[in-house]
Amino acid sequence: MTEPIAVTVLTGFLGSGKTTTLNHLLTQNHGQRFAVIVNEFGEIGIDEDLILHVDDDVLEINNGCLCCTTRGDLDRVLMKILDRRDDFSRVIIETTGLADPAPIASTLMAQQGHRYFYELDGVVTLVDAHHLLDQLGRSPEVPRQIGFADVLVLNKLDLVDDPEKLAEIDRRLKILNPGARIVRTEHGNLDPQILMDIGGFDPRRLEANDPIFGPDDDHGHSHEHGHDHDHGHEHSHGHEHQGHAHKDHDHKDHGHQTHGHEQTHGHASEHSHDHEHGPLGRHEQGVYSISVTEDRPLDGSLVDAWLRVVVQMHGDNLYRMKGILNVAGLDRRCVFHGVQQLVGAEIDRLWKEDESRVSRAVFIGRDLDVDMIRKGFANCVAQSP
């Protein structure tokens, strides 16, 4: 069987720098052979001197890349470029500034034809560092695009010289998507490697890609971060710098900060450890993440029913979900990954002898029912024989 072609979705709000970034990819000699799918050629503005050949909806660029236009029909273009699959190694699909990346992800994950030929590798969201804080309060597309991302590219850092503003930007990004990798750049000058081998939809790489699924050091209590406080859980992230990023700010290690914990007691709190990443106020327009853990084995049928209810209740408001589960009776981990109403699960590797068999799950979306998710997860615990 032929290996599927990896696909990266590149999104970001109006003015975030997607056009500049794509122009770099299509004109610089980086040694990669991308097929870049855009809405209209005119939006990219490729110099005619760089175009070797024009074939209807496909431009052949002299750096080895192809540029294709969808004209509103992504399915058609994806099938058409299969005739030239030997000419490129990866597909990059650009969304418009107001577009939701979910339909593209759904197209690649749900349609049988595309699933055979293509494999969704990840969603990369460009963020305008200069305007982000204002955009979060007035443009619902911005937190949505951030919530979907596997990689957040913080662009236009040359326009932000206030350390406090940078710290607030970091805090907001982690509230919206605490597991995303953050890369910093200026002028859309992005290393092409950032768009490759993301593994954002590979359940087997959850631990490597998302710090939420790293070693857990405390299951003895349950933390709830409420709607009334402007604070957030900040996980340690290795921030990467592209281009001419600021050297006078240390972005390598942000401490794990918690504020105003309300400790709960009872059966569930003895074993579970739940996080709701806030604030949940108007600035993030109801978009946030919820992570839950459980150190007791889970009943697989109850987990399946719980996930179905979560998906049905939240629909398109549930952007991303992923988890590693310890299912009773299995010596292997069960992993799941989902976008909106599409959820995939598989049996993963064997649990290691020295590994803590803790179930972890994270949900990112808008106006999530925190109590339903948290209590439903706790109710999935397998009954003792």
Side-chain angles (χ1 to χ4, degrees):
M1 176 179 174
T2 304
E3 286 293 318
I5 302 166
V7 179
T8 300
V9 176
L10 182 66
T11 188
F13 195 60
L14 299 169
S16 62
K18 292 195 309 300
T19 299
T20 304
T21 298
L22 289 173
N23 198 284
H24 284 312
L25 292 174
L26 289 168
T27 58
Q28 293 182 347
N29 292 317
H30 44 63
Q32 303 296 333
R33 295 181 301 120
F34 296 131
V36 180
I37 300 177
V38 301
N39 288 281
E40 294 292 342
F41 289 140
E43 296 176 357
I44 306 302
I46 303 171
D47 192 319
E48 291 184 3
D49 293 337
L50 301 176
I51 300 174
L52 296 180
H53 182 69
V54 180
D55 177 18
D56 192 14
D57 294 335
V58 180
L59 303 182
E60 186 175 343
I61 314 300
N62 66 0
N63 71 344
C65 291
L66 302 177
C67 185
C68 321
T69 178
T70 64
R71 294 182 181 174
D73 190 350
L74 179 61
D75 289 334
R76 177 184 59 83
V77 174
L78 287 173
M79 297 308 295
K80 178 177 181 177
I81 63 176
L82 284 174
D83 295 335
R84 304 187 59 168
R85 65 178 303 158
D86 293 336
D87 295 337
F88 59 90
S89 57
R90 170 174 295 265
V91 173
I92 298 174
I93 303 176
E94 177 232 9
T95 72
T96 65
L98 298 175
D100 180 352
I104 295 176
S106 298
T107 294
L108 294 167
M109 294 173 66
Q111 296 191 20
Q112 192 65 35
H114 293 326
R115 288 173 58 189
Y116 181 82
F117 295 110
Y118 295 100
E119 181 177 60
L120 181 58
D121 188 31
V123 177
V124 177
T125 298
L126 268 77
V127 176
D128 181 346
H130 184 52
H131 294 107
L132 174 65
L133 298 182
D134 292 331
Q135 291 172 342
L136 286 174
R138 57 182 169 80
S139 303
E141 297 85 1
V142 174
R144 187 178 181 89
Q145 291 169 344
I146 292 172
F148 269 106
D150 300 291
V151 178
L152 294 169
V153 178
L154 192 56
N155 194 25
K156 301 187 179 182
L157 282 176
D158 53 305
L159 301 179
V160 182
D161 55 8
D162 181 353
E164 292 185 1
K165 182 175 181 178
L166 283 173
E168 179 65 7
I169 289 171
D170 274 346
R171 193 179 71 85
R172 293 291 185 90
L173 292 179
K174 293 169 190 173
I175 287 168
L176 292 167
N177 193 338
R181 174 185 176 193
I182 298 177
V183 178
R184 299 168 182 271
T185 189
E186 299 176 4
H187 310 294
N189 191 13
L190 186 64
D191 183 346
Q193 293 295 327
I194 300 300
L195 302 173
M196 303 173 64
D197 195 29
I198 298 170
F201 290 83
D202 184 349
R204 296 164 296 182
R205 294 174 60 179
L206 279 180
E207 290 166 306
N209 291 338
D210 195 328
I212 290 176
F213 296 97
D216 190 62
D217 58 358
D218 186 1
H219 306 295
H221 57 278
S222 171
H223 293 310
E224 299 181 28
H225 302 281
H227 292 236
D228 298 326
H229 303 283
D230 190 11
H231 60 262
H233 245 272
E234 298 195 6
H235 292 266
S236 175
H237 288 271
H239 297 301
E240 301 173 36
H241 299 257
Q242 302 288 320
H244 305 286
H246 300 282
K247 296 181 180 179
D248 55 334
H249 305 299
D250 183 6
H251 304 292
K252 294 182 180 179
D253 189 10
H254 297 267
H256 187 83
Q257 301 178 3
T258 59
H259 305 276
H261 293 299
E262 177 187 343
Q263 298 221 2
T264 61
H265 302 277
H267 178 71
S269 66
E270 293 175 3
H271 300 273
S272 61
H273 186 191
D274 308 323
H275 293 284
E276 176 188 325
H277 298 267
L280 314 181
R282 63 180 180 85
H283 294 295
E284 278 67 47
Q285 303 201 28
V287 177
Y288 50 96
S289 67
I290 301 170
S291 60
V292 292
T293 70
E294 175 57 63
D295 58 10
R296 294 169 292 179
L298 304 178
D299 184 312
S301 60
L302 293 179
V303 171
D304 182 67
W306 168 68
L307 281 174
R308 290 177 185 274
V309 172
V310 171
V311 168
Q312 290 172 359
M313 283 188 60
H314 295 94
D316 291 347
N317 283 340
L318 185 57
Y319 303 162
R320 296 287 294 269
M321 69 196 100
K322 42 195 169 182
I324 299 173
L325 306 176
N326 174 26
V327 176
L330 295 181
D331 291 329
R332 295 178 178 270
R333 310 186 316 173
C334 179
V335 293
F336 73 89
H337 223 301
V339 173
Q340 293 185 332
Q341 300 184 52
L342 293 174
V343 184
E346 62 182 75
I347 303 301
D348 190 27
R349 64 167 173 80
L350 288 166
W351 289 97
K352 300 176 183 178
E353 289 186 7
D354 59 348
E355 186 176 12
S356 178
R357 295 194 179 191
V358 177
S359 298
R360 298 178 176 87
V362 61
F363 300 84
I364 301 174
R366 181 190 302 276
D367 299 329
L368 302 180
D369 189 330
V370 179
D371 287 340
M372 178 268 172
I373 292 175
R374 186 180 66 245
K375 293 177 181 177
F377 187 68
N379 289 335
C380 292
V381 173
Q383 298 297 315
S384 301

